[in-house]
Amino acid sequence: MERLERVSRCLRTVLGAGRGRRRLLPSLLVGIVLLGSALKDSDLVPDTPLRNKRNPLNIYFVKVAWAWTLWLLLPFIALTTYQFAKTKLLYGPTKSILMVLQRLSALLVGTAIWYVCTGLFRYIENLTGTCSAPAKVSEPRRLYATKEECHQDNGVWNGFDISGHCFLLSYCALMIVEEVAVLEGLSIDQKSKLRVVINTLFVTLCFLTMIWVFMFLCTALYFHDLSQKLLGVLIGVSAWYGTYRVWYLKPFSPGLPLPNIPLSSKKHSYSR
């Protein structure tokens, strides 16, 4: 327990402490794309197993990045929002549960953004692509409408492939960093089991964010063209900005992790 508490306190100083630091992450992600693309185009990137799309991190984490983010944020948001509502806003159980449901709707918004954007990326790639497939003797040349049809005939689809990894990994990382900021105003007894659970979820989410940023770097170094990666990360940053910096500040929205409390009045009470 003590070790978990120390790790949690250390990670809070890196990922969860202060809106100013959180503002640096979008610029860092864009910088990674620009630098990584420059190194890739200059052939300065060493050949490592991470160049292979079948590497374990890509298969078991990145391919299901939204699932990892969703299922870890869900209990974290539910527990921290209920505790915050109960201790800071003096709400009764019913209003606290309603606030939990309101905040959990941010995950529905995130799921909708993920679904719409990835579908749009596939549509653009199919719309702009052509298939280079081996010709079959005595058969007319086939016209392929989608990437999937092309791959079924062992062809190579050449289209404008907006980097879904750059979009999703940037959006997931930014969303996690925003949500863990709730610890800035949360007060929990150090000896309670709830604190252990929240600490465990927080540490796991922090390490997950590090994986997302690391795999984002690998994408920038090994895959896609600059325009495809830059557009992907800009869409991810725009999705984050449009929700957490615009819509969630207004009524009839999921709201921010620390609702109705000005940033200047937040106290780092969780460490007490």
Side-chain angles (χ1 to χ4, degrees):
M1 257 183 85
E2 292 181 2
R3 181 175 298 178
L4 178 64
E5 183 70 30
R6 287 196 300 269
V7 172
S8 175
R9 189 179 299 115
C10 178
L11 289 172
R12 285 200 304 275
T13 64
V14 177
L15 290 178
R19 186 173 178 178
R21 290 190 182 184
R22 297 198 297 276
R23 284 176 173 171
L24 296 177
L25 185 55
S27 300
L28 174 63
L29 294 171
V30 174
I32 288 174
V33 164
L34 296 176
L35 179 60
S37 297
L39 292 174
K40 177 178 178 289
D41 293 341
S42 302
D43 293 326
L44 296 176
V45 183
D47 192 6
T48 69
L50 293 170
R51 184 187 292 272
N52 188 344
K53 292 182 179 181
R54 303 296 298 173
N55 71 78
L57 281 176
N58 194 52
I59 293 175
Y60 297 111
F61 284 91
V62 179
K63 291 292 186 182
V64 286
W66 182 246
W68 279 105
T69 303
L70 177 67
W71 292 114
L72 284 172
L73 276 180
L74 193 151
F76 180 84
I77 292 174
L79 291 173
T80 55
T81 302
Y82 186 83
Q83 179 68 13
F84 184 81
K86 186 175 69 173
T87 60
K88 293 294 182 181
L89 302 181
L90 304 178
Y91 284 176
T94 301
K95 286 192 175 181
S96 296
I97 290 173
L98 289 176
M99 178 173 286
V100 169
L101 294 176
Q102 179 184 0
R103 285 293 303 121
L104 286 177
S105 66
L107 297 178
L108 291 178
V109 173
T111 301
I113 290 173
W114 162 74
Y115 183 81
V116 170
C117 288
T118 52
L120 178 63
F121 296 168
R122 286 194 296 268
Y123 175 77
I124 291 174
E125 187 178 10
N126 287 333
L127 186 66
T128 60
T130 57
C131 182
S132 300
K136 296 181 180 179
V137 180
S138 72
E139 287 188 9
R141 185 175 181 84
R142 180 181 174 186
L143 296 178
Y144 297 88
T146 66
K147 182 178 180 178
E148 288 72 20
E149 291 179 2
C150 178
H151 286 175
Q152 286 175 0
D153 283 352
N154 298 317
V156 177
W157 187 262
N158 299 305
F160 188 73
D161 182 15
I162 300 173
S163 177
H165 283 183
C166 283
F167 154 71
L168 186 57
L169 294 176
S170 61
Y171 182 58
C172 287
L174 289 165
M175 188 174 183
I176 290 173
V177 170
E178 286 288 345
E179 292 297 340
V180 298
V182 72
L183 297 187
E184 295 178 24
L186 197 64
S187 180
I188 306 177
D189 183 2
Q190 290 195 6
K191 297 181 180 179
S192 69
K193 293 182 179 179
L194 178 62
R195 188 181 182 96
V196 175
V197 173
I198 290 177
N199 268 339
T200 301
L201 287 169
F202 172 70
V203 170
T204 305
L205 282 165
C206 288
F207 279 109
L208 188 66
T209 302
M210 295 176 193
I211 292 175
W212 294 162
V213 174
F214 175 71
M215 293 307 294
F216 184 91
L217 172 63
C218 292
T219 301
L221 289 173
Y222 293 116
F223 305 104
H224 292 281
D225 296 333
L226 172 60
S227 59
Q228 297 168 349
K229 290 179 285 193
L230 188 58
L231 187 55
V233 69
L234 289 178
I235 293 173
V237 170
S238 297
W240 157 77
Y241 188 88
T243 50
Y244 284 91
R245 292 291 181 264
V246 179
W247 182 29
Y248 291 178
L249 298 176
K250 302 180 184 299
F252 307 107
S253 74
L256 292 172
L258 297 179
N260 303 321
I261 294 184
L263 187 69
S264 59
S265 68
K266 295 174 187 174
K267 302 299 182 183
H268 297 268
S269 56
Y270 184 72
S271 60
R272 291 185 297 187

